[in-house]
């Protein structure tokens, strides 16, 4: 349905919420029995009533995000240190002054600091890896690229011990939105300082999470292209056609609105315009963070405003897409089972009612410069829940809340 490759947040907070929900469902199991059984029937139907497929591990599972995400960063960190023969605990006098760090690229006045700090604390507690937090503007002023070696050095404003901090891994929690580049994109006159900082990081030898290629791979347009028939198949051998087919069953319908739109894409557009199917689709721009999608009447109106409709003598309708639509994709809308929930925000009960949820799974992959996979594993989960009448689904943008899966 969707792949996020930059600033995938809430691993820390979601893990804490899962622990809370696990405690509550065990501690107050008798009082919650009717509530949980009602939701179980909503999801599993007759199988819940008959007791079929009852799991021996009922309840809220543990998320491994705060173990496996730091572990993956540690793999990249250790490989960098080995490459340049440096280490935080090196006894050699020359190298002991070099402190390799992980650089968290954050937004100025960050509002999601707690979630990020949990990952920072886990990196130190589990691996004794230090973290430095800087915005793109601060990186432009304080991070220097050694053009000869590609090493990124942080110029500390006050460093009493005389040591040097070197960036081994860059972890982006910013840089995905136009608002992260307030100085603009003019790099020739030096005014676009955030963009220049991003370029400096990309040119450096430090491992990036993600590098620019992985960042672009997570855009809606690339995902839409990967959903076309034949795209996934190219990554498997000729004797593995069933694997690609199985993967494709998990895809939602994704349709281009650009110059490359094919017959299937145009049929989806016509479905909205002529068959009143506006409720079956979502119009998505190349943005992250929530709050930018078009639903229902807004979706239909956006298409009508940017499409030219012609009718031939036989009454057949044809549609020409405006170039302005090329920044969007059209996606099939999913309708998860509804369950009763009590949602809290800022310590207050926001309300109770029917809700829907979206499950995301974290994955951690580390590759070498030539593409060799050196680390690849599942790394925990994130569940977002919102009231069923709400279209958007972002947590930070205020549309949804963090929740936890309950295994039946």
């Amino acid at each position: 349905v969707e792949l996020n490759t930059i600033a995938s947040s809430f691993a820390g907070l979601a893990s804490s919420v899962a622990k809370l929900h696990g405690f509550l469902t065990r501690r107050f199991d008798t009082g919650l029995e009717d509530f949980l059984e009602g939701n179980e029937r909503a999801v599993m139907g007759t199988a819940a009533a008959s007791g079929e497929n009852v799991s021996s591990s009922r309840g809220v599972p543990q998320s491994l995000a705060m173990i496996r995400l730091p572990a993956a960063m540690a793999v990249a960190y250790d490989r960098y240190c080995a490459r340049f023969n440096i280490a935080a605990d090196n006894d050699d006098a020359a190298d002991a002054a070099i402190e390799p760090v992980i650089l968290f690229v954050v937004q100025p006045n960050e509002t999601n600091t707690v979630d990020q700090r949990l990952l920072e604390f886990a990196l130190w507690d589990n691996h004794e890896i230090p973290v430095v937090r800087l915005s793109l503007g601060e990186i432009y002023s304080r991070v220097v690229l050694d053009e000869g070696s590609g090493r990124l050095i942080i110029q500390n404003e006050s460093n009493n011990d005389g040591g040097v901090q070197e960036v081994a891994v860059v972890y982006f929690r910013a840089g995905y939105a136009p608002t992260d580049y307030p100085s603009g994109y003019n790099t020739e006159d030096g005014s676009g300082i955030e963009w220049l900082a991003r370029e400096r990081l990309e040119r450096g030898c430090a491992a990036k999470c993600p590098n620019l290629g992985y960042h672009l791979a997570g855009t809606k347009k690339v995902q839409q292209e990967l959903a076309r028939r034949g795209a996934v198949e190219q990554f498997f051998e000729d004797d593995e056609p069933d694997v690609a087919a199985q993967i494709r069953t998990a895809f939602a319908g994704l349709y281009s609105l650009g110059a490359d739109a094919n017959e299937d894409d145009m049929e989806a557009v016509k479905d909205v315009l002529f068959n009143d199917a506006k409720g079956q689709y979502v119009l998505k721009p190349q943005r992250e963070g929530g709050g930018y999608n078009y639903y229902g009447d807004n979706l239909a109106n956006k298409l009508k405003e940017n499409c030219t409709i012609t009718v031939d003598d036989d009454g057949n309708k044809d549609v020409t897409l405006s170039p302005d639509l090329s920044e969007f994709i059209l996606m099939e809308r999913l309708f998860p089972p509804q369950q009763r929930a009590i949602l809290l925000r800022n310590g207050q009960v926001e309300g109770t009612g029917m809700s829907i949820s979206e499950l995301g799974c974290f994955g951690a992959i580390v590759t070498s410069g030539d593409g060799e996979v050196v680390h690849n594993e599942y790394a925990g989960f994130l569940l977002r829940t919102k009231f069923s009448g709400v279209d958007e689904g972002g947590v930070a943008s205020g549309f949804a809340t963090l929740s936890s899966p309950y295994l039946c």
Side-chain angles (χ1 to χ4, degrees):
V1 176
E2 185 173 76
L3 175 69
N4 293 315
T5 57
I6 186 170
S8 298
S9 58
F10 296 119
L13 291 177
S15 299
S16 299
V17 168
K19 291 179 182 178
L20 170 65
H21 287 159
F23 166 78
L24 292 174
T25 53
R26 293 191 306 272
R27 173 65 178 82
F28 302 104
D29 56 343
T30 303
L32 291 171
E33 186 174 357
D34 291 342
F35 181 86
L36 294 173
E37 286 183 356
N39 282 342
E40 186 174 342
R41 287 192 296 271
V43 175
M44 300 182 65
T46 57
S50 65
E52 297 176 12
N53 302 320
V54 175
S55 173
S56 60
S57 57
R58 291 173 65 90
V60 179
Q62 177 187 7
S63 175
L64 301 175
M66 284 296 93
I67 298 173
R68 293 189 174 177
L69 292 180
M73 290 187 180
V75 170
Y77 176 92
D78 290 342
R79 286 176 61 85
Y80 180 91
C81 292
R83 176 183 178 184
F84 288 101
N85 195 28
I86 57 174
D89 58 353
N90 199 320
D91 293 330
D92 182 88
D95 289 336
I98 300 176
E99 181 186 37
V101 302
I102 293 182
L103 173 62
F104 278 26
V105 182
V106 299
Q107 295 173 331
N109 304 314
E110 175 63 63
T111 59
N112 196 19
T113 305
V114 173
D115 181 62
Q116 298 169 6
R117 290 291 189 185
L118 289 172
L119 186 56
E120 176 184 342
F121 299 158
L123 279 165
W124 181 257
D125 289 341
N126 300 343
H127 306 282
E128 295 191 353
I129 295 177
V131 166
V132 174
R133 297 166 54 87
L134 295 174
S135 68
L136 286 170
E138 291 171 323
I139 289 168
Y140 177 79
S141 301
R142 294 180 51 191
V143 177
V144 177
L145 171 65
D146 185 306
E147 295 287 351
S149 66
R151 297 165 80 162
L152 293 164
I153 305 299
I154 300 175
Q155 294 181 324
N156 289 320
E157 296 171 341
S158 59
N159 195 340
N160 297 327
D161 60 10
V164 173
Q165 290 183 313
E166 180 171 338
V167 180
V169 178
V170 180
Y171 174 53
F172 285 96
R173 291 297 291 258
Y176 56 85
T179 51
D180 290 330
Y181 303 90
S183 301
Y185 304 97
N186 190 339
T187 57
E188 292 184 0
D189 64 3
S191 61
I193 62 172
E194 295 85 11
W195 197 248
L196 286 168
R198 178 70 184 271
E199 179 188 38
R200 189 178 302 164
L201 295 178
E202 290 294 331
R203 293 177 57 217
C205 286
K208 264 78 72 174
C209 179
N211 63 24
L212 190 56
Y214 270 98
H215 183 178
L216 293 176
T219 61
K220 305 293 191 299
K221 180 60 183 177
V222 171
Q223 293 175 46
Q224 173 259 304
E225 286 296 318
L226 287 172
R228 290 200 187 280
R229 294 200 174 276
V232 172
E233 284 77 359
Q234 66 182 311
F235 298 106
F236 296 93
E237 301 294 337
D238 293 337
D239 59 350
E240 298 179 301
D242 292 343
V243 178
Q246 290 171 4
I247 292 175
R248 194 175 296 285
T249 62
F251 288 3
L254 298 169
Y255 307 99
S256 173
L257 299 178
D260 61 336
N262 60 23
E263 184 176 348
D264 289 340
D265 301 325
M266 296 308 301
E267 285 301 316
V269 173
K270 292 177 182 178
D271 200 22
V272 175
L273 294 176
F274 307 138
N275 299 331
D276 197 29
K278 57 192 178 187
Q280 306 299 315
Y281 299 90
V282 182
L283 187 65
K284 292 188 171 186
Q286 309 300 312
R287 296 290 300 272
E288 298 295 341
Y292 305 104
N293 299 334
Y294 291 81
Y295 299 84
D297 289 334
N298 290 333
L299 183 160
N301 291 336
K302 184 70 173 179
L303 288 183
K304 290 175 183 176
E305 292 168 2
N306 291 276
C307 290
T308 301
I309 302 172
T310 56
V311 183
D312 63 20
D313 295 338
D314 297 325
N316 298 315
K317 297 178 180 179
D318 191 31
V319 176
T320 303
L321 303 174
S322 164
D324 292 340
L325 286 176
S326 61
E327 67 176 285
F328 297 89
I329 66 163
L330 194 62
M331 192 187 95
E332 172 192 1
R333 189 170 184 178
L334 305 180
F335 297 92
Q338 295 189 20
Q339 305 173 67
R340 185 164 297 281
I342 303 168
L343 303 188
L344 290 85
R345 183 177 297 279
N346 297 326
Q348 302 294 322
V349 175
E350 188 174 357
T352 179
M354 301 310 292
S355 69
I356 56 176
S357 298
E358 177 182 339
L359 177 67
C361 294
F362 293 104
I365 184 169
V366 181
T367 67
S368 65
D370 57 6
E372 177 192 1
V373 176
V374 298
H375 179 90
N376 185 13
E377 66 177 352
Y378 161 76
F381 59 79
L382 164 68
L383 192 77
R384 298 180 296 180
T385 298
K386 63 183 180 180
F387 288 124
S388 56
V390 177
D391 288 327
E392 292 283 0
V395 174
S397 50
F399 298 103
T401 59
L402 293 177
S403 189
S404 307
Y406 185 89
L407 301 182
C408 301

